[in-house]
Amino acid sequence: MTFNEKIVNVRELKHVEGKIELYWIYTSGEAGDKFFKALKDEGKFLASKCSYCGKTYFPPRIYCEYDFSETEFIEISGEGRVRAFAVATLDSYEKPLENPEIYAIIDLDDTDGCIVHLLGEVEIKEVFIGMRVKPVLKPKEDREGRITDILYFKPS
Amino acid sequence: MKMDMDMDVNIKKNYPSYVRGREIKAEDIEEGRVSYNLHKPNIIYSFTAGQAISKFLNGLKEGKLLATECYSCNRTLFPPRIFCEVCFRPIDKWCEVKDSGVVETFSISYIDPDAKPLEKPIIVAVISIDGASPKMGIMHILGEVEPEDVYIGMRVRAVWKPESEREGSITDIMYWKPAEGD
Amino acid sequence: MNVERIKGLKFHKKQDVAIVGAGITTFKRRLNETGKELSYYAAKQALDEAGLSIKDVDMVVMGSAPDAFDGVHMKGEYLLDGSGGSDKPYMRVFVGGGTGVFAPIAGYWHVASGLADVCLVVCEEKMSSCYPHPQSAFKYIWDPILERPLKPNLIWIFALEMRRYMYVNNIKHEDIALVSVKNKANALDHPSAQLAARITVEDVLNSEPMALPVRRLDVSPPSDGASAIMMVASHIARQLTDEPVWVNGVGWALDTTWWTNRDLYFPRYVAEAARMAYKMAHITNPRKEVDVAEPYDPFDYKELHHMEGLGLAKKGEAHILTREGITARDGDLPICPSGGLLGVGNPIAATMGVKVAEIYWQLAYRAGKRQVAKEVTTGIAQAWGDLMQIGTVMVLSNKR
């Protein structure tokens, strides 16, 4: 037995192009809705605290993932400290960026959580781990209730 | 058999005793009453047809329907593949089957792939192909026939695009039409 | 070439497996909660009913259908924290619409093998994220070369299967519509229900045509929702409750993806899966030994089709049982007492909540207003999916 009459001329091999024509609308959920509305309407940062173990989640959640207890929302300053940072020189299509962007993981004060966001108003060589930063928000009228309502974090 | 007595005692509680979840409507999103993110990615694929289907598509271009044979189970496989999935061995021979067949089942579709209404309903059918093993068929469209005239067991024949317009695609057959008396 | 196989079953169970709790969210076309939050609601409820905490859970199984619905292409991992899987052995399983019974089957392996004593099974679906319509995601289950150029809607295959089923068995649409009438009415007693209603056969037959013979009221809706069950070993079950519900058999099978190469009138995939599950559960006459069943009913004809595959009715005769009221909640063989997918909703994998969880509640006599009238010992839950291809079956009993 053989796979007989096999096509060897690559020009005789066919392919079909296809496109996935879907798009998605993601609701922010119960915790996310509260968080983004506070950010958009009041410029406030919310976290949530586990009523059992006290772990404070940022971004907030309605449950503690380790105890499965409910949480309560608390207000935080939004300021924090750089835990790690990276400099992006390419965009998501791997095209060079004119102005390299600094992305950082920022530990938010009074929480056990962190956020990944841009750093601004700072030179690359001035950034260091442990640097204190605070958020810069879009003007209220431009805010949409999305993570991009925070423009970037800047040294404080 | 029925346990009429003590039935109420037996039923302890109504579970689930509560259900959670906040229903929202499309307008809540459209009017921004809940926060959300929209993402419209641009994802493009190139699907290789592989050995068997490449040959099959090249056959369509020539106006032929190609199939393969397995000598172990004596089936003529259509659409063709390079292996028999029942015997799990390579096929033994390529052959040509007819461009006619029998309607095994059909549907009259009023909706497009995105569940939007179609202007004119289309008739879709599973057609078992003459010359292939019983029940070996493909899904395709029926034409030159009114929905109320289609029936299971109806003989049909392929209506091909003109040779110059064929491109080696399943749509080189435009549709299948009734072939009674052919 | 119709190969009927009875596969040998080599099976060494380490310990018996019981279900001791279940949870379910509401099912709606659109919910605000994220998939993680829905998973949490359901999992928390199942834990509470069982009297367990998340710290008692050894392993977690997640069931969720195509990533294309939620729009997160690592859905299992994404849903992990809401399902209680953090820092635990965790896996996600997926066999299309069959997932709602396949996930608990995977949970069963975890416990029966002795690897886990307590396994939490969570199923989630958030179909509303997908645009322009949840059905659009189904465009991408078709063969990209032979079928997709014909611009099919998924409803086509069901319409084709339904027509073939009706033709071979000489069944009228009126007989099939009775299933929709029954299930939507049963759903009136389910707190999660999305499409509970009192309707008539005429309503079904006069509803908007989708892909004939399928009309609007023959079909279950797309939904958001989640469900969960707690599966534990016998020595744990004994500590928690006097009335555990035992998993006595599981089975699953897939037929060929070349769906235009098989006769669609009979679901061979369900029959194969049932044969495996019955063998394990020592059931020889399902019609006599099964007291209540939740076959998968995304379409009304599917309930009948699956009853025949499950051996609960002879080929082509399931509709007679429906017509005679035998499958009603107070009948001799209640079918879909929950209200099923047609009445409660169809968040693909999360339908575990109206299949396995419902049979659990029925056999534990906890179904309240939905409790079937007859005395029950043994029940079955079944799901189905992919290109009319997979059958997944679970046999449950309040006796070991």
Side-chain angles (χ1 to χ4, degrees), chain A residues 91-105:
Chain A
D91 72 7
S92 50
Y93 296 97
E94 298 202 356
K95 296 220 177 67
L97 283 167
E98 218 169 281
N99 298 309
E101 293 172 336
I102 315 169
Y103 282 91
I105 300 177

PDB file of all heavy atoms in Angstrom, chain A residues 91-105:
ATOM      1  N   ASP A  91       5.933  47.847  17.612  1.00  0.00           N
ATOM      2  CA  ASP A  91       4.507  47.772  17.932  1.00  0.00           C
ATOM      3  C   ASP A  91       4.031  46.321  17.822  1.00  0.00           C
ATOM      4  O   ASP A  91       4.838  45.419  17.584  1.00  0.00           O
ATOM      5  CB  ASP A  91       3.702  48.733  17.042  1.00  0.00           C
ATOM      6  CG  ASP A  91       3.612  48.268  15.587  1.00  0.00           C
ATOM      7  OD1 ASP A  91       4.052  47.140  15.286  1.00  0.00           O
ATOM      8  OD2 ASP A  91       3.112  49.042  14.752  1.00  0.00           O
ATOM      9  N   SER A  92       2.717  46.094  17.967  1.00  0.00           N
ATOM     10  CA  SER A  92       2.254  44.703  18.012  1.00  0.00           C
ATOM     11  C   SER A  92       2.339  44.014  16.651  1.00  0.00           C
ATOM     12  O   SER A  92       2.168  42.809  16.563  1.00  0.00           O
ATOM     13  CB  SER A  92       0.838  44.627  18.592  1.00  0.00           C
ATOM     14  OG  SER A  92       0.006  45.543  17.926  1.00  0.00           O
ATOM     15  N   TYR A  93       2.578  44.764  15.589  1.00  0.00           N
ATOM     16  CA  TYR A  93       2.834  44.144  14.283  1.00  0.00           C
ATOM     17  C   TYR A  93       4.329  44.093  13.982  1.00  0.00           C
ATOM     18  O   TYR A  93       4.736  43.926  12.827  1.00  0.00           O
ATOM     19  CB  TYR A  93       2.087  44.892  13.176  1.00  0.00           C
ATOM     20  CG  TYR A  93       0.585  44.812  13.330  1.00  0.00           C
ATOM     21  CD1 TYR A  93      -0.119  45.837  13.949  1.00  0.00           C
ATOM     22  CD2 TYR A  93      -0.109  43.693  12.880  1.00  0.00           C
ATOM     23  CE1 TYR A  93      -1.492  45.751  14.113  1.00  0.00           C
ATOM     24  CE2 TYR A  93      -1.476  43.611  13.035  1.00  0.00           C
ATOM     25  CZ  TYR A  93      -2.177  44.635  13.649  1.00  0.00           C
ATOM     26  OH  TYR A  93      -3.528  44.546  13.815  1.00  0.00           O
ATOM     27  N   GLU A  94       5.144  44.317  15.023  1.00  0.00           N
ATOM     28  CA  GLU A  94       6.601  44.287  14.921  1.00  0.00           C
ATOM     29  C   GLU A  94       7.151  45.372  14.002  1.00  0.00           C
ATOM     30  O   GLU A  94       8.198  45.213  13.378  1.00  0.00           O
ATOM     31  CB  GLU A  94       7.107  42.893  14.488  1.00  0.00           C
ATOM     32  CG  GLU A  94       6.741  41.849  15.514  1.00  0.00           C
ATOM     33  CD  GLU A  94       7.610  40.600  15.463  1.00  0.00           C
ATOM     34  OE1 GLU A  94       8.460  40.512  14.567  1.00  0.00           O
ATOM     35  OE2 GLU A  94       7.419  39.734  16.323  1.00  0.00           O
ATOM     36  N   LYS A  95       6.447  46.488  13.914  1.00  0.00           N
ATOM     37  CA  LYS A  95       6.976  47.636  13.180  1.00  0.00           C
ATOM     38  C   LYS A  95       7.680  48.551  14.185  1.00  0.00           C
ATOM     39  O   LYS A  95       7.203  48.722  15.314  1.00  0.00           O
ATOM     40  CB  LYS A  95       5.832  48.410  12.514  1.00  0.00           C
ATOM     41  CG  LYS A  95       5.094  47.603  11.453  1.00  0.00           C
ATOM     42  CD  LYS A  95       4.738  48.458  10.250  1.00  0.00           C
ATOM     43  CE  LYS A  95       4.067  47.638   9.185  1.00  0.00           C
ATOM     44  NZ  LYS A  95       2.732  47.134   9.603  1.00  0.00           N
ATOM     45  N   PRO A  96       8.799  49.169  13.801  1.00  0.00           N
ATOM     46  CA  PRO A  96       9.517  50.026  14.754  1.00  0.00           C
ATOM     47  C   PRO A  96       8.644  51.196  15.216  1.00  0.00           C
ATOM     48  O   PRO A  96       7.909  51.789  14.431  1.00  0.00           O
ATOM     49  CB  PRO A  96      10.704  50.539  13.945  1.00  0.00           C
ATOM     50  CG  PRO A  96      10.852  49.595  12.810  1.00  0.00           C
ATOM     51  CD  PRO A  96       9.488  49.074  12.508  1.00  0.00           C
ATOM     52  N   LEU A  97       8.706  51.506  16.502  1.00  0.00           N
ATOM     53  CA  LEU A  97       7.980  52.649  17.051  1.00  0.00           C
ATOM     54  C   LEU A  97       8.874  53.875  16.959  1.00  0.00           C
ATOM     55  O   LEU A  97      10.066  53.814  17.265  1.00  0.00           O
ATOM     56  CB  LEU A  97       7.634  52.398  18.519  1.00  0.00           C
ATOM     57  CG  LEU A  97       6.469  51.470  18.832  1.00  0.00           C
ATOM     58  CD1 LEU A  97       6.499  51.096  20.304  1.00  0.00           C
ATOM     59  CD2 LEU A  97       5.147  52.123  18.477  1.00  0.00           C
ATOM     60  N   GLU A  98       8.288  54.984  16.556  1.00  0.00           N
ATOM     61  CA  GLU A  98       9.075  56.219  16.466  1.00  0.00           C
ATOM     62  C   GLU A  98       9.607  56.616  17.844  1.00  0.00           C
ATOM     63  O   GLU A  98      10.775  56.893  18.014  1.00  0.00           O
ATOM     64  CB  GLU A  98       8.186  57.324  15.911  1.00  0.00           C
ATOM     65  CG  GLU A  98       8.906  58.258  14.972  1.00  0.00           C
ATOM     66  CD  GLU A  98       7.899  59.141  14.263  1.00  0.00           C
ATOM     67  OE1 GLU A  98       7.261  58.652  13.297  1.00  0.00           O
ATOM     68  OE2 GLU A  98       7.749  60.290  14.694  1.00  0.00           O
ATOM     69  N   ASN A  99       8.692  56.603  18.809  1.00  0.00           N
ATOM     70  CA  ASN A  99       9.097  56.891  20.180  1.00  0.00           C
ATOM     71  C   ASN A  99       8.928  55.645  21.027  1.00  0.00           C
ATOM     72  O   ASN A  99       7.792  55.248  21.289  1.00  0.00           O
ATOM     73  CB  ASN A  99       8.245  58.013  20.769  1.00  0.00           C
ATOM     74  CG  ASN A  99       8.430  59.302  19.999  1.00  0.00           C
ATOM     75  OD1 ASN A  99       9.555  59.742  19.769  1.00  0.00           O
ATOM     76  ND2 ASN A  99       7.306  59.862  19.560  1.00  0.00           N
ATOM     77  N   PRO A 100      10.032  55.017  21.421  1.00  0.00           N
ATOM     78  CA  PRO A 100       9.903  53.814  22.244  1.00  0.00           C
ATOM     79  C   PRO A 100       9.032  54.079  23.476  1.00  0.00           C
ATOM     80  O   PRO A 100       9.043  55.192  24.017  1.00  0.00           O
ATOM     81  CB  PRO A 100      11.347  53.510  22.646  1.00  0.00           C
ATOM     82  CG  PRO A 100      12.185  54.145  21.580  1.00  0.00           C
ATOM     83  CD  PRO A 100      11.438  55.359  21.138  1.00  0.00           C
ATOM     84  N   GLU A 101       8.269  53.055  23.860  1.00  0.00           N
ATOM     85  CA  GLU A 101       7.363  53.217  24.999  1.00  0.00           C
ATOM     86  C   GLU A 101       7.870  52.421  26.191  1.00  0.00           C
ATOM     87  O   GLU A 101       8.401  51.322  26.017  1.00  0.00           O
ATOM     88  CB  GLU A 101       5.963  52.711  24.619  1.00  0.00           C
ATOM     89  CG  GLU A 101       5.303  53.577  23.555  1.00  0.00           C
ATOM     90  CD  GLU A 101       4.004  52.999  23.032  1.00  0.00           C
ATOM     91  OE1 GLU A 101       3.813  51.758  23.129  1.00  0.00           O
ATOM     92  OE2 GLU A 101       3.172  53.784  22.529  1.00  0.00           O
ATOM     93  N   ILE A 102       7.704  52.982  27.375  1.00  0.00           N
ATOM     94  CA  ILE A 102       8.137  52.272  28.588  1.00  0.00           C
ATOM     95  C   ILE A 102       6.908  51.664  29.239  1.00  0.00           C
ATOM     96  O   ILE A 102       5.963  52.375  29.603  1.00  0.00           O
ATOM     97  CB  ILE A 102       8.816  53.224  29.601  1.00  0.00           C
ATOM     98  CG1 ILE A 102       9.817  54.144  28.895  1.00  0.00           C
ATOM     99  CG2 ILE A 102       9.488  52.426  30.715  1.00  0.00           C
ATOM    100  CD1 ILE A 102      10.310  55.271  29.774  1.00  0.00           C
ATOM    101  N   TYR A 103       6.898  50.346  29.363  1.00  0.00           N
ATOM    102  CA  TYR A 103       5.817  49.646  30.054  1.00  0.00           C
ATOM    103  C   TYR A 103       6.323  49.195  31.407  1.00  0.00           C
ATOM    104  O   TYR A 103       7.469  48.749  31.524  1.00  0.00           O
ATOM    105  CB  TYR A 103       5.369  48.426  29.254  1.00  0.00           C
ATOM    106  CG  TYR A 103       4.476  48.810  28.104  1.00  0.00           C
ATOM    107  CD1 TYR A 103       4.989  49.081  26.845  1.00  0.00           C
ATOM    108  CD2 TYR A 103       3.107  48.924  28.309  1.00  0.00           C
ATOM    109  CE1 TYR A 103       4.170  49.464  25.804  1.00  0.00           C
ATOM    110  CE2 TYR A 103       2.275  49.298  27.265  1.00  0.00           C
ATOM    111  CZ  TYR A 103       2.815  49.576  26.022  1.00  0.00           C
ATOM    112  OH  TYR A 103       1.977  49.938  25.003  1.00  0.00           O
ATOM    113  N   ALA A 104       5.493  49.328  32.408  1.00  0.00           N
ATOM    114  CA  ALA A 104       5.929  48.934  33.740  1.00  0.00           C
ATOM    115  C   ALA A 104       4.855  48.143  34.461  1.00  0.00           C
ATOM    116  O   ALA A 104       3.661  48.311  34.194  1.00  0.00           O
ATOM    117  CB  ALA A 104       6.284  50.175  34.559  1.00  0.00           C
ATOM    118  N   ILE A 105       5.300  47.257  35.354  1.00  0.00           N
ATOM    119  CA  ILE A 105       4.380  46.671  36.331  1.00  0.00           C
ATOM    120  C   ILE A 105       4.470  47.575  37.546  1.00  0.00           C
ATOM    121  O   ILE A 105       5.577  47.819  38.066  1.00  0.00           O
ATOM    122  CB  ILE A 105       4.790  45.242  36.730  1.00  0.00           C
ATOM    123  CG1 ILE A 105       4.800  44.325  35.503  1.00  0.00           C
ATOM    124  CG2 ILE A 105       3.832  44.691  37.791  1.00  0.00           C
ATOM    125  CD1 ILE A 105       5.263  42.908  35.819  1.00  0.00           C
TER     126      ILE A 105
END
